[in-house]
Amino acid sequence: MRMFRLMKKNGITDYDDFYQRSVREPAWFWRAVEKDMGLHWFHAYKKVVDLSRGTAWPRWFVDGKMNVAWNSVDRWAEDLGASNRLAVIWEGDDGSVQKWTYRELYQAVSRMAAGLTSLGVKEGDRIAIYLPMVVENVITILAAARIGAIFTPCFSGYGAEAVATRLRDCEAKVLITADGFLRRGKTVNMKEEADRAADLSPSVEKVVVVRRLGREIPVNPGRDVNWDDLIAGKKALSCVETQADAPFMIIYTSGTTGRPKGTVHTHAGFPIKAAFDAGYGMDLDAGDTLFWMTDMGWMMGPWMVFGALLNGSTMLLFEGTPDYPEPDRLWKLAEDHGITHMGISPTAIRVLMKFGEKWVKKQDLSTLKVFGSTGEPWNPEPWHWLFTQVGDKRVPIWNYSGGTEISGGILFSNLMKPIAPCSFSGPMPGMDVDIVDEQGKSVRGEVGELVIRQPWVGMTKGFWNDPERYEGTYWSRWEGTWVHGDWVQADEDGFWYITGRSDDTLKIAGKRLGPAEVESALVDHPAVLEAATIGVPDPDKGEAAVCFVVLKSDVKGDDVLVRELIASLGEKLGKALRPRELYFVGELPKTRNGKILRRAIKAAYTGQDAGDLSSLENPEAVKALGKSEAR
């Protein structure tokens, strides 16, 4: 295993000793990691980490110059032994397949880098990517990094307003989109949503369109650029030598209040953390094929890109869904493309296990080495089904939990140690993690707050243009301590379990969504006065949204309005994020300073004890919620 080889190279044979040294001497650890990865530096760094600006604002690989696109593609393309190795495999919803070697990917990235430059994109400019899971997604990410621009990936299922929120916040200069894509055999239009988003975003100068389907689309002659025309005849550009801590990506994550947070990631941050977690944590190596069922707008999309390419591996991009056109689609992918490392959510497994084992047994899954899982907690039944029926008790389930702000994992299942169902073995190397009580004191054997005591490579470089919000979100509770927002527990055998979020953020099928985004979209409707959203357990998605709406005094709530509001949310946020239920209520429970208390709403809805409600201005509203009816 690569983790053990790294340990031995540094004179350590006991994993617990290795972990302790990784958090006791983080500079030693991250230097050892980047050296073992063989990263190329245009200019050597002088110091691994500088904490002179405080724990919340570390500088990593000080004064070093590198480029993540060069390390991901160029170095393999220039290696005679690796240039013809597959870098990317793509399979469409319709079963069509395309493949790119590292040499071919290098050529495509170079042409796109030149194309972006021809549009006036310069170092530090922002590019938004609103694409389905097509190879142009990967090409754009790497092309932006190559010229020192900053990319912002957007979930392909977002509606126009959700995309526009992100475009406006980062002031994107160029939007990359597609005419559409296929989902379950049906056409999903995309260009129209992209046009609406661009219309709402004054900074967008050009919209580059990938012709995935070749369908007829509206054209804006002054703004639209065809992808093929943009890259035609372009010659390769050399990589910009970027500072190690120069931003290369802004990826948005939602909190419980306010607009989405633009987490800033750097050339020597997110990619190294992702590549370490995939390469050493999941034991991915050159010659392996990594597939994660995700979207490029969620963290695991870029994670897969750099986890695969920095390790010289192959990545598989999949446009479709796990059970279309047959329930064995996912297992057929594994056989057809020789997947070794497969990332899949508990939600997907809960869906697939309904079809039975016969669909699994139709395919040869002998190439599988590791299952990966992140984004939501496991239930025992699907975990055991995946392990026994799909993995035949030989493929370990690599449970993995972290976040967009982390660049990867905080906790993981250590493949060098026993794995308990639904659990984590403990913190990733380099992650100085603790469980604390309400006073910030370490606890074991009871549920507590997950915190991180020291910075790490991959830690977000704040929120885009909002340092105060970043510090307030993670560093304000206990000095020098990152508070992540998960409730966790470690048992007497050393296994860790996540018991839930300590804030109100929703995770729908592993996708994090802030209640404020849903509520803002609802309040935009002329009939709505105010709204609140909670997450409740869902047998298929893990969690589903339930909305409570206060209507304006002259509006009568009925079934037609319920359907209209739910449909509106689907248009604005994406169909996958529509609420399961919507209720009309007379008022929402609020604190004296006007804050909606979602905890009380959730308790009333689920019939649980809401705890201390002394801060409520209108406690009678909680009782009324329990009697609310969807109209």
Side-chain angles (χ1 to χ4, degrees):
M1 291 188 63
R2 291 185 70 188
M3 185 83 80
F4 188 64
R5 294 200 299 269
L6 177 62
M7 289 165 51
K8 288 182 65 177
K9 182 182 287 189
N10 288 277
I12 303 173
T13 56
D14 181 81
Y15 174 80
D16 291 335
D17 290 344
F18 177 69
Y19 171 75
Q20 289 300 327
R21 189 175 179 190
S22 78
V23 296
R24 191 173 62 247
E25 303 177 47
W28 162 83
F29 173 71
W30 291 109
R31 180 186 289 111
V33 168
E34 74 85 4
K35 294 295 183 189
D36 198 60
M37 286 183 182
L39 298 182
H40 173 77
W41 297 86
F42 297 118
H43 187 278
Y45 53 88
K46 296 178 180 177
K47 186 178 182 181
V48 176
V49 61
D50 175 7
L51 298 179
S52 60
R53 294 189 298 172
T55 311
W57 302 99
R59 292 180 61 210
W60 290 96
F61 305 111
V62 180
D63 293 336
K65 289 189 177 182
M66 55 98 77
N67 188 294
V68 69
W70 199 99
N71 279 287
S72 298
V73 180
D74 294 40
R75 64 166 169 155
W76 307 117
E78 294 180 5
D79 182 342
L80 293 178
S83 61
N84 290 320
R85 184 188 305 153
L86 284 179
V88 184
I89 303 169
W90 172 81
E91 180 166 317
D93 181 82
D94 57 358
S96 55
V97 175
Q98 298 174 6
K99 299 179 180 182
W100 287 263
T101 65
Y102 272 95
R103 184 65 186 171
E104 291 167 338
L105 182 61
Y106 160 77
Q107 293 167 343
V109 170
S110 297
R111 288 195 295 269
M112 183 55 177
L116 290 173
T117 301
S118 72
L119 295 180
V121 177
K122 304 182 295 298
E123 190 170 353
D125 285 344
R126 276 77 65 200
I127 298 166
I129 306 173
Y130 177 48
L131 284 170
M133 288 297 274
V134 290
V135 73
E136 287 84 358
N137 222 317
V138 178
I139 292 169
T140 304
I141 286 171
L142 294 165
R146 188 175 190 84
I147 63 175
I150 303 169
F151 71 93
T152 293
C154 299
F155 173 45
S156 62
Y158 274 145
E161 293 187 27
V163 176
T165 298
R166 289 148 178 82
L167 298 180
R168 291 193 298 267
D169 189 72
C170 72
E171 297 179 294
K173 191 172 187 176
V174 175
L175 173 62
I176 315 291
T177 192
D179 54 0
F181 58 97
L182 297 177
R183 184 170 179 82
R184 306 185 74 82
K186 297 181 180 179
T187 296
V188 178
N189 297 341
M190 207 167 191
K191 175 59 161 57
E192 291 82 352
E193 291 296 308
D195 281 346
R196 288 177 55 211
D199 291 343
L200 295 168
S201 309
S203 63
V204 174
E205 299 174 4
K206 296 293 181 181
V207 175
V208 179
V209 185
V210 175
R211 301 309 299 265
R212 160 69 182 101
L213 301 177
R215 58 178 283 265
E216 186 174 340
I217 55 174
V219 176
N220 184 326
R223 189 171 67 187
D224 291 354
V225 180
N226 185 280
W227 172 283
D228 292 335
D229 294 338
L230 181 63
I231 65 174
K234 296 295 190 298
K235 295 182 179 179
L237 287 179
S238 59
C239 280
V240 170
E241 296 183 6
T242 61
Q243 291 288 340
D245 64 348
F248 92 116
M249 174 175 70
I250 303 169
I251 185 166
Y252 285 84
T253 183
S254 298
T256 56
T257 59
R259 68 186 187 282
K261 304 184 293 285
T263 61
V264 179
H265 291 289
T266 66
H267 278 258
F270 184 101
I272 293 177
K273 170 64 172 165
F276 172 78
D277 288 10
Y280 299 81
M282 202 182 186
D283 201 36
L284 180 76
D285 210 343
D288 288 332
T289 299
L290 173 65
F291 164 69
W292 211 283
M293 193 74 209
T294 187
D295 187 275
M296 210 57 71
W298 308 124
M299 188 212 69
M300 293 308 294
W303 184 96
M304 177 171 61
V305 172
F306 296 105
L309 298 184
L310 278 180
N311 285 303
S313 307
T314 303
M315 85 177 80
L316 171 65
L317 302 178
F318 178 48
E319 180 187 48
T321 52
D323 59 346
Y324 177 83
E326 301 285 356
D328 64 343
R329 182 65 183 274
L330 204 60
W331 320 128
K332 191 172 187 302
L333 276 180
E335 177 178 358
D336 291 349
H337 303 297
I339 295 172
T340 56
H341 295 66
M342 174 182 281
I344 184 169
S345 70
T347 293
I349 294 301
R350 283 191 288 266
V351 171
L352 294 175
M353 67 187 292
K354 294 178 181 178
F355 298 108
E357 294 76 44
K358 65 177 182 178
W359 293 99
V360 178
K361 305 308 178 186
K362 289 179 64 176
Q363 310 300 334
D364 178 4
L365 304 181
S366 59
T367 61
L368 287 172
K369 296 179 181 179
V370 183
F371 290 118
S373 172
T374 194
E376 57 179 313
W378 278 98
N379 307 117
E381 186 180 4
W383 192 97
H384 283 288
W385 188 83
L386 178 63
F387 181 65
T388 58
Q389 300 300 328
V390 184
D392 201 24
K393 297 184 179 180
R394 69 171 184 83
V395 183
I397 298 175
W398 188 68
N399 212 9
Y400 182 61
S401 181
T404 305
E405 312 89 328
I406 307 296
S407 298
I410 301 172
L411 305 176
F412 80 133
S413 296
N414 190 340
L415 299 179
M416 296 171 60
K417 289 191 170 189
I419 296 173
C422 310
S423 75
F424 303 90
S425 303
M428 291 286 306
M431 305 299 291
D432 189 3
V433 180
D434 199 1
I435 305 172
V436 301
D437 61 18
E438 292 182 356
Q439 288 72 47
K441 296 179 180 179
S442 299
V443 296
R444 284 295 182 271
E446 61 184 86
V447 175
E449 190 89 48
L450 178 68
V451 301
I452 308 173
R453 300 290 192 186
Q454 296 185 79
W456 63 95
V457 165
M459 190 177 89
T460 181
K461 193 178 179 181
F463 298 154
W464 184 252
N465 289 335
D466 203 346
E468 293 82 9
R469 189 181 183 200
Y470 161 67
E471 291 182 355
T473 300
Y474 296 110
W475 299 99
S476 61
R477 192 165 178 186
W478 297 294
E479 185 177 356
T481 301
W482 173 288
V483 180
H484 190 61
D486 279 336
W487 288 112
V488 295
Q489 183 174 11
D491 68 18
E492 58 185 15
D493 296 319
F495 295 111
W496 293 48
Y497 298 86
I498 294 178
T499 61
R501 292 292 296 172
S502 57
D503 58 21
D504 293 326
T505 302
L506 288 73
K507 279 191 176 180
I508 301 173
K511 301 173 180 66
R512 189 177 297 179
L513 180 71
E517 286 194 83
V518 184
E519 293 156 8
S520 296
L522 283 169
V523 173
D524 279 345
H525 192 282
V528 176
L529 180 64
E530 58 182 352
T533 300
I534 61 169
V536 299
D538 183 90
D540 293 323
K541 294 184 177 182
E543 192 172 39
V546 175
C547 299
F548 297 84
V549 172
V550 178
L551 296 173
K552 293 180 179 177
S553 58
D554 58 345
V555 177
K556 177 178 173 55
D558 54 23
D559 290 341
V560 174
L561 184 55
V562 168
R563 290 193 292 270
E564 182 181 333
L565 290 172
I566 291 177
S568 175
L569 286 175
E571 292 174 2
K572 293 178 178 179
L573 301 176
K575 291 182 179 179
L577 304 179
R578 287 182 301 186
R580 187 175 73 187
E581 298 173 66
L582 188 145
Y583 295 87
F584 298 128
V585 296
E587 60 179 336
L588 298 171
K590 297 178 182 177
T591 62
R592 290 182 175 87
N593 60 5
K595 180 180 179 181
I596 296 171
L597 200 60
R598 297 184 185 88
R599 170 171 58 86
I601 298 173
K602 187 169 184 176
Y605 179 83
T606 59
Q608 297 176 338
D609 181 12
D612 181 18
L613 298 178
S614 59
S615 64
L616 280 181
E617 179 71 19
N618 53 343
E620 65 279 1
V622 177
K623 296 179 181 179
L625 281 171
K627 302 176 182 177
S628 61
E629 295 180 358
R631 296 285 192 254

